[in-house]
Amino acid sequence: MSKQVLAFQDVSFSYQDQQQNRSIPVLHSFSTQVYDREFITIIGASGSGKSTLFRLIAGLEEPDSGSILINGKKYKSRLGQTGYMPQKDLLMPWRTIEENAALPLELRGWRKKDIEEKVRPLLEEFGLSGVEDHFPHELSGGMRQRVSFLRTVLSGSNILLLDEPFSALDAITKLSMQEWLLDQWDKRKATIIFITHDVQEALLLSDRILIFAEKPVCSLQEVAVPLARPRRLKDLDDPAVLELKDHLLAQLRGKVGT
Ligand SMILES: Nc1ncnc2c1ncn2[C@@H]1O[C@H](COP(=O)(O)OP(=O)(O)OP(=O)(O)O)[C@@H](O)[C@H]1O
Ligand SMILES: [Mg+2]
């Protein structure tokens, strides 16, 4: 078994709703582990706590109790320890594509020349050469997602958290982005945790699927995807996979509300 890169140990977390003076429990005594170079997908109904899990991993929220370990370590602050691509693409409209992508390096104090040397070849590899000096609104949805992903990769972390990166894309663009992402995952030797509502996408991409099917989330249902790699879309017609798809849809249906 490869090494653990992320662990939740008995983590509980609630949001405090100040206006209504109540607490909203999201995780209760929750434990899980993710291993090096896995591709994990999280599925679950809207409001089940998927993005909150990422906010906890990324250090934007702190658990009420329990521990979160990254690469085996318990950090005082987890900020900057993982590459986090939030649910909305947060490209800055006033910065060019290159400046958006380079933000993590700039924040770490890299010099302009070193940034250019690092970022230029990656822009090319990510299919963004020719638009370095454009602004985000001039790009297609798929291209914007590639810029966001490049920025996430430039965080330098081995753990990439992608929150519904392809949900706004049309079916064809989505498929080519999924293939592209698998290629990147392989090349960068990264561990990816990926949130989606799309069961087919989860089956196509991941090694394991974690299901958020209760609220607050105490334990996860988990399934391993029984498909070798590389995968093609038609592999999803395999009877064992179709059965798994039905099982996942049944798990998701109507279990969680906000
Ligand atoms: N900043 C916040 N303050 C208070 N409550 C919050 C906050 N963010 C989320 N919540 C609540 O926490 C719960 C989990 O929200 P979260 O955003 O993690 O869900 P999600 O599974 O990512 O949903 P979606 O699939 O719609 O993105 C919901 O009940 C939500 O209303
Ligand atoms: Mg979410």
Side-chain angles (χ1 to χ4, degrees), residues 74-90:
K74 193 172 166 183
Y75 288 91
K76 224 175 188 156
S77 163
R78 292 179 300 289
L79 289 172
Q81 296 301 332
T82 52
Y84 175 37
M85 180 167 161
Q87 196 159 356
K88 284 196 205 99
D89 110 40
L90 293 178

Side-chain angles (χ1 to χ4, degrees), residues 32-222:
T32 196
Q33 292 88 33
V34 174
Y35 297 93
D36 193 29
R37 298 193 64 177
E38 275 196 297
F39 198 126
I40 300 283
T41 302
I42 298 173
I43 59 173
S46 190
S48 57
K50 304 179 297 299
S51 297
T52 304
L53 187 83
F54 275 11
R55 293 176 58 78
L56 281 159
I57 299 171
L60 297 170
E61 305 285 356
E62 281 304 318
D64 302 327
S65 60
S67 311
I68 300 173
L69 275 69
I70 299 201
N71 294 317
K73 276 188 241 154
K74 193 172 166 183
Y75 288 91
K76 224 175 188 156
S77 163
R78 292 179 300 289
L79 289 172
Q81 296 301 332
T82 52
Y84 175 37
M85 180 167 161
Q87 196 159 356
K88 284 196 205 99
D89 110 40
L90 293 178
L91 297 179
M92 297 170 174
W94 62 89
R95 282 183 157 241
T96 65
I97 297 312
E98 182 166 350
E99 288 165 351
N100 263 291
L103 196 63
L105 304 181
E106 223 178 283
L107 292 175
R108 273 184 272 150
W110 282 44
R111 285 180 317 175
K112 203 168 181 314
K113 191 169 147 288
D114 297 335
I115 290 182
E116 248 178 55
E117 265 171 31
K118 171 89 183 170
V119 175
R120 284 282 157 99
L122 284 168
L123 282 163
E124 177 155 356
E125 192 189 315
F126 279 52
L128 295 163
S129 47
V131 296
E132 300 90 339
D133 300 326
H134 287 49
F135 290 92
H137 75 269
E138 298 174 282
L139 267 55
S140 70
M143 285 172 117
R144 273 205 302 274
Q145 291 305 75
R146 289 205 293 272
V147 181
S148 279
F149 184 64
L150 174 52
R151 193 171 59 183
T152 309
V153 164
L154 285 171
S155 69
S157 171
N158 59 326
I159 306 171
L160 307 178
L161 312 172
L162 311 179
D163 196 345
E164 299 196 40
F166 306 148
S167 60
L169 303 178
D170 66 86
I172 303 292
T173 311
K174 190 174 187 174
L175 189 58
S176 69
M177 289 295 291
Q178 287 163 343
E179 283 169 355
W180 178 82
L181 179 64
L182 286 176
D183 201 36
Q184 287 293 328
W185 169 59
D186 198 35
K187 260 192 211 152
R188 312 212 159 270
K189 308 190 189 322
T191 303
I192 293 186
I193 312 178
F194 185 102
I195 295 175
T196 182
H197 282 114
D198 180 343
V199 171
Q200 174 168 303
E201 181 168 60
L203 288 165
L204 185 67
L205 295 178
S206 45
D207 300 316
R208 285 193 289 147
I209 302 176
L210 309 183
I211 310 155
F212 275 31
E214 54 185 355
K215 200 175 173 191
V217 179
C218 302
S219 60
L220 286 176
Q221 304 217 30
E222 166 184 329

